[in-house]
Amino acid sequence: MSRPVALPRLRRVVARPNVLFGGVYGAVLASSMVAALTKYGETSRADWLYDARWLLITAVASALAHGYAHLIARRGDGSRTGVRGALRVLADEWPLIVATLPTLVMLLGAAWGWWRSEGIEYVAFGFNIVLLFAWGLSAARASGRTWRAALAVGCVDALLGVIVVVANALIK
C-alpha cells in the first residue's frame, strides 16, 4: 500500500509532539475557559470582552508554564540550555496559543458586535470539538493509520474532549 505524497509532510509538521500537545490542550483550554466564564442568561458585550481577555491571559500563562516545565525537565536529564535554548523551549509552546485564537476571535467578534453574542459559547464549544476531532484524525493519519481507523480515532478524541470540557465546567 503506497502512502500519499503529502503524508511525510503532514507527519513532519502535525505529528510533532509540541504541535499535537499544544493544539489539543489549547482547544480544551479554550472550551473550558468559555464554559467557566460564561454567565447564564443574557450577556453584554463587556462580558465577552472580559472573557476574551481572560482566555488570552490564561493561554499565554499556560504556554509559559508548559515551557518552563519543559525547561526544568531538560535540566533534570542533564541537558544544559543557555538563554537561547530557554527561549526556544518557551517559543515551542506557540501551538497552545494558536489553538485558542479561533475562540478568542469569536469572543471578540461578539464583544465588538460583529455577530450576535447570544449562544456564542455553544458555537465556540462546537468549533473546538471539531478541532479536537481534526487533531485526532491528523495524528492518526500521520502515524500511518487508514482513513477508517483515523476517523474512529478522531471521533474518540472529540468525545474525550467533550468529557474533559464538561467535567471542567461542572467543577467550576
Side-chain angles (χ1 to χ4, degrees):
M1 181 171 141
S2 69
R3 294 181 185 208
V5 176
L7 192 56
R9 189 178 70 202
L10 177 68
R11 186 176 291 132
R12 214 173 29 250
V13 175
V14 174
R16 289 180 35 210
N18 73 306
V19 174
L20 289 171
F21 175 85
V24 169
Y25 194 93
V28 170
L29 175 72
S31 293
S32 298
M33 287 293 297
V34 169
L37 292 170
T38 299
K39 294 140 190 89
Y40 297 104
E42 200 60 33
T43 56
S44 70
R45 289 182 176 182
D47 292 329
W48 293 120
L49 194 56
Y50 173 85
D51 292 352
R53 194 174 309 133
W54 272 111
L55 174 59
L56 183 60
I57 289 168
T58 303
V60 170
S62 294
L64 287 173
H66 287 123
Y68 177 66
H70 286 294
L71 189 62
I72 298 300
R74 286 185 182 191
R75 285 187 204 145
D77 73 3
S79 301
R80 292 187 177 201
T81 23
V83 173
R84 277 188 173 163
L87 292 175
R88 204 170 309 122
V89 168
L90 292 174
D92 277 346
E93 296 298 324
W94 65 265
L96 191 155
I97 295 171
V98 170
T100 64
L101 292 180
T103 301
L104 184 68
V105 169
M106 288 180 217
L107 293 174
L108 289 174
W112 294 334
W114 294 347
W115 45 75
R116 290 174 23 147
S117 63
E118 186 178 328
I120 195 68
E121 66 274 5
Y122 300 110
V123 175
F125 180 73
F127 181 87
N128 286 314
I129 297 307
V130 169
L131 195 56
L132 290 171
F133 168 80
W135 280 118
L137 175 76
S138 299
R141 285 296 294 157
S143 72
R145 293 196 178 160
T146 65
W147 274 106
R148 182 180 174 132
L151 287 168
V153 167
C155 289
V156 169
D157 287 347
L159 179 62
L160 289 172
V162 170
I163 291 167
V164 169
V165 170
V166 169
N168 281 334
L170 293 175
I171 291 170
K172 80 171 186 174

